[in-house]
Amino acid sequence: MSQDATPTVVTPRGSAPGRGRSVSQIVDSIRTREGEGFLVHRPFPGPTLDHFDPFLLLDEMGPVDLGPGEAKGAPDHPHRGFETVTYLLAGRMEHRDSAGHAGALGPGAVQWMTAGAGVVHSEMPEAEFRRTGGRMHGFQLWVNLPRRDKMMPPRYQEIPSGRIPVATSPDCLVWVKVLAGEAFGVRAVIETRTPILYLHFTLRPGARAVQPVPRDWNAFAYVVGGRGTFGLDGREAREHQMVIFADDGDAVSLAAPRDATGSLDLLLIGGVPLREPVARYGPFVMNTQAEIRQAIEDYRQGRMGRIPAERRA
Ligand code: FE
């Protein structure tokens, strides 16, 4: 297939994308509450889509403007069998876990936590942010682990905003933060267990981008702000909508309408499907029900550890 001739096509170095993918489905988020009761927009899991292999959940936290004392978080809770990926756009969060990791996340930072065999962690607003209030906006993505990695030791990667690589198109109409994978010849600094693409695109009005995504990967876009057209068929989507691409090509196209009043802001997320059984119970995601029962038992017996008292906020 010939490439779109518009000047803003974004093509990674040395790999011209081939056939563009069409859109198979557009999923609306549901509004719900998580943790101590903070607002999330959630495209999955939900009534339309249970999971999108290898992804188990996507929560958009907010966006919400909080008054003093209103910020909420998720106090001590366990995870086993997958990874939680937190990406903040606004607000400040603190992390503590039973593997001894502690971190503070500000706007633009990414935390990639591999729960593996199990951690207990807390994800709370930073004390000063809770006191003052302010805008809270971010994402949490759950990435499933393959059977061989579900019981690996926990791992923690925290990357501040300034260390997330950024790529821009020659005309500066397309801007990409490369959280995982590669875009535009720029590689991410975060390591993933299986090949994952996690890109934050910003397209100025009239811009168009073509991003290669291997044919055997699952891929979707999530619109953070504005509206855009997606895929070969130019399907329209707007904020809080998830655009699922069909597996009929090896590139996806993203475009911001020329008459838009603001930029199109979106996440493009993809990965190699694991094609393994998913047994899921709350914060545990394993392959069999027996493994879920074991996870519950291990947590009850304190085998996932606890957050060191001296490190608590
Ligand atoms: Fe958590």
Side-chain angles (χ1 to χ4, degrees), residues 16-284:
R19 182 183 158 78
R21 294 184 182 212
S22 56
V23 169
S24 67
Q25 193 179 3
I26 293 180
V27 178
D28 291 322
S29 293
I30 56 164
R31 280 167 64 97
T32 184
R33 303 264 165 191
E34 215 8 278
E36 296 175 314
F38 58 87
L39 169 74
V40 301
H41 291 90
R42 177 177 294 166
F44 66 97
T48 313
L49 186 66
D50 178 68
H51 68 286
F52 188 56
D53 193 9
F55 307 106
L56 300 161
L57 168 146
L58 179 66
D59 274 352
E60 179 181 15
M61 302 179 279
V64 61
D65 292 304
L66 299 162
E70 287 181 359
K72 295 179 170 65
D76 308 13
H77 60 279
H79 293 292
R80 171 180 280 180
F82 61 101
E83 302 180 285
T84 64
V85 181
T86 306
Y87 176 40
L88 270 196
L89 299 183
R92 303 196 76 86
M93 287 178 67
E94 286 180 348
H95 170 95
R96 301 273 184 280
D97 75 35
S98 56
H101 305 124
L105 292 179
V110 180
Q111 179 206 82
W112 200 291
M113 187 189 78
T114 308
V119 294
V120 176
H121 75 162
S122 69
E123 301 158 280
M124 300 299 290
E126 187 190 59
E128 177 66 10
F129 179 73
R130 187 192 287 259
R131 194 180 67 73
T132 60
R135 190 168 183 78
M136 180 70 197
H137 193 194
F139 294 89
Q140 188 164 95
L141 176 71
W142 289 11
V143 181
N144 204 2
L145 286 168
R147 190 191 300 266
R148 65 176 183 273
D149 287 340
K150 281 191 177 290
M151 296 298 283
M152 68 178 275
R155 183 169 78 156
Y156 184 79
Q157 300 175 80
E158 186 182 288
I159 316 291
S161 179
R163 285 190 51 225
I164 303 289
V166 177
T168 50
S169 61
D171 61 6
C172 297
L173 292 178
V174 181
W175 189 81
V176 191
K177 289 188 76 172
V178 185
L179 281 62
E182 179 175 340
F184 222 171
V186 173
R187 289 202 64 80
V189 296
I190 290 170
E191 292 174 22
T192 63
R193 298 300 299 184
T194 58
I196 300 288
L197 190 65
Y198 191 156
L199 306 173
H200 180 180
F201 274 89
T202 303
L203 287 83
R204 303 282 297 156
R208 183 180 183 82
V210 175
Q211 168 68 37
V213 180
R215 185 178 293 255
D216 54 340
W217 292 30
N218 280 336
F220 70 93
Y222 183 82
V223 183
V224 179
R227 60 190 174 90
T229 55
F230 297 84
L232 266 188
D233 28 4
R235 290 275 294 275
E236 274 194 40
R238 56 184 60 246
E239 57 193 12
H240 311 310
Q241 287 188 316
M242 172 189 185
V243 178
I244 300 178
F245 293 101
D247 57 1
D248 55 356
D250 51 17
V252 300
S253 67
L254 318 163
R258 231 167 265 283
D259 62 351
T261 52
S263 293
L264 166 65
D265 210 5
L266 65 95
L267 306 179
L268 180 66
I269 296 174
V272 176
L274 303 179
R275 304 189 200 284
E276 292 178 346
V278 174
R280 180 171 189 160
Y281 178 77
F284 307 126

